[in-house]
Amino acid sequence: MDPYLEGYLWPDVHHRLATQISDQLMPLVRPRYVARIEIQVVADDTPEAEIGIMYPDVEIVRPRPPAATSQASPSEARAAGTAMMTPTSLSVPLLEVEVRLATVEIRDTAENQLVSSIEILSPVNKREPGLSKYRDKQRRLREAHVHILDIDLLRRGQRPLAHPRIPAHAYRVTLSRAGESVADVWAIPLQEPLPVVPVPLRAPDEDVPLDLSLALATIYDRAAYDLSLNYNEPPPPPPLSDEAQAWVRRQVDLHASS
C-alpha cells in the first residue's frame, strides 16, 4: 500500500479498486457466480475530520465584517426603550457531504442471491456515526449467512473489529465466514505487500484467491497516480513513525531512479 493514496485521491482509489477486484474475480467464479459492484450513497455527518485530507479545504470559520447599518447607538436605544441587537462575530458553513461507497458482491447465477460481500472501507465507515451504521450492516449480512471480506487500507480511524490480540499494524483485512463465530484477520504492516486472501463461495465450491497487491498495482499504473502525488510532502495523517517514514523515502527514491 502507498500511504499517499489515503488522501484526496481515496474516492478514486476506492472505486477503481472495487472495479479491479471484480474484474480479477470474475473469471474465477463464473459460471456459477458473478462479481457485481453495488453503489451505496451515504451521508457523511462528520466531514470535518476529513477536511484538508480527503475533502478539499473549505472555509470553516469566516470572520464577519462589521455591517454598515443605521442602527441606533446603545444610548439612543436605551432612551427609546429598545434593545440593540448584538452582531455576530463569525459565520460557520453547514457542510453536507455525500459519499459513494462501492461494494463487490459475489452472487450466484441460479437465484441471484448474495454469497460474499467484499467491503472496501472509507473514512466514513471508521468514525461515528458511520462506524455504528457499518457494524449494523455487518450484523445484517451475518444474519443472512453472507461471507464478509473487509478490506481496510486506511491508517486513520477506528477499526470495526476491536480485539486485543490483533496487532496495531497500518492495514487490515478481515474475513468473517457465514455461520462461523470467529474471524480471520490479516494485520499488515506498511512495509509488507498486501496479501492474497480467500473469497469464500458456497459449499462445496472452494475459495478463490484475491491478490490485493496485484489489484492495487494495476490501478496505480492505469490511473497514473504518480503524476498526481507529491512525494516531497508528508503523507496524509496519522504521522508515520521514523522507521516507516524512512522506508517510504527509500521506496520513493528507488522508484525515481528506475
Side-chain angles (χ1 to χ4, degrees):
M1 180 59 185
D2 182 341
Y4 286 83
L5 296 177
E6 300 175 48
Y8 75 97
L9 286 175
W10 179 253
D12 189 80
V13 174
H14 180 110
H15 286 271
R16 287 181 183 269
L17 188 58
T19 300
Q20 183 58 33
I21 288 174
S22 177
D23 290 347
Q24 188 182 132
L25 292 178
M26 194 66 177
L28 304 178
V29 301
R30 62 183 308 172
R32 290 171 58 88
Y33 308 89
V34 291
R36 300 290 187 230
I37 296 178
E38 175 72 17
I39 301 295
Q40 179 186 12
V41 179
V42 302
D44 189 346
D45 298 318
T46 54
E48 296 85 0
E50 292 299 321
I51 290 172
I53 304 174
M54 190 176 75
Y55 303 142
D57 291 335
V58 298
E59 196 175 27
I60 293 300
V61 177
R62 175 168 53 87
R64 180 185 292 274
T69 66
S70 59
Q71 198 172 37
S73 67
S75 59
E76 293 172 335
R78 285 193 297 270
T82 60
M84 189 178 75
M85 290 178 290
T86 303
T88 61
S89 57
L90 55 86
S91 296
V92 178
L94 301 177
L95 302 179
E96 296 181 359
V97 178
E98 288 188 341
V99 182
R100 296 170 62 86
L101 302 178
T103 299
V104 181
E105 297 183 341
I106 306 300
R107 293 182 172 270
D108 67 23
T109 52
E111 300 179 354
N112 195 38
Q113 290 186 346
L114 181 60
V115 176
S116 292
S117 181
I118 303 174
E119 308 281 346
I120 305 170
L121 299 191
S122 273
V124 69
N125 304 128
K126 300 185 65 179
R127 51 180 157 77
E128 296 295 354
L131 176 61
S132 294
K133 294 177 181 179
Y134 180 67
R135 285 171 171 165
D136 288 341
K137 178 183 180 180
Q138 288 182 312
R139 185 181 65 255
R140 293 193 301 269
L141 290 173
R142 287 194 296 268
E143 291 173 350
H145 300 283
V146 174
H147 308 296
I148 309 170
L149 185 67
D150 284 340
I151 301 172
D152 187 354
L153 302 182
L154 294 167
R155 292 171 296 122
R156 63 186 178 275
Q158 184 178 347
R159 310 285 186 186
L161 176 62
H163 194 283
R165 292 181 56 191
I166 302 177
H169 291 325
Y171 309 113
R172 183 186 298 181
V173 178
T174 306
L175 173 60
S176 302
R177 295 180 182 270
E180 295 190 1
S181 59
V182 298
D184 298 324
V185 178
W186 291 260
I188 311 157
L190 175 66
Q191 297 90 332
E192 292 186 6
L194 298 179
V196 178
V197 296
V199 177
L201 303 174
R202 283 187 172 158
D205 296 328
E206 296 182 354
D207 299 347
V208 294
L210 171 59
D211 190 335
L212 292 175
S213 283
L214 176 61
L216 188 69
T218 300
I219 67 169
Y220 189 96
D221 290 339
R222 288 179 178 175
Y225 288 136
D226 58 311
L227 300 181
S228 299
L229 296 171
N230 185 355
Y231 288 104
N232 293 318
E233 296 181 350
L240 297 174
S241 66
D242 291 342
E243 179 184 1
Q245 185 63 57
W247 179 84
V248 169
R249 180 49 48 194
R250 289 195 298 270
Q251 302 307 308
V252 172
D253 293 342
L254 181 63
H255 179 77
S257 62
S258 61

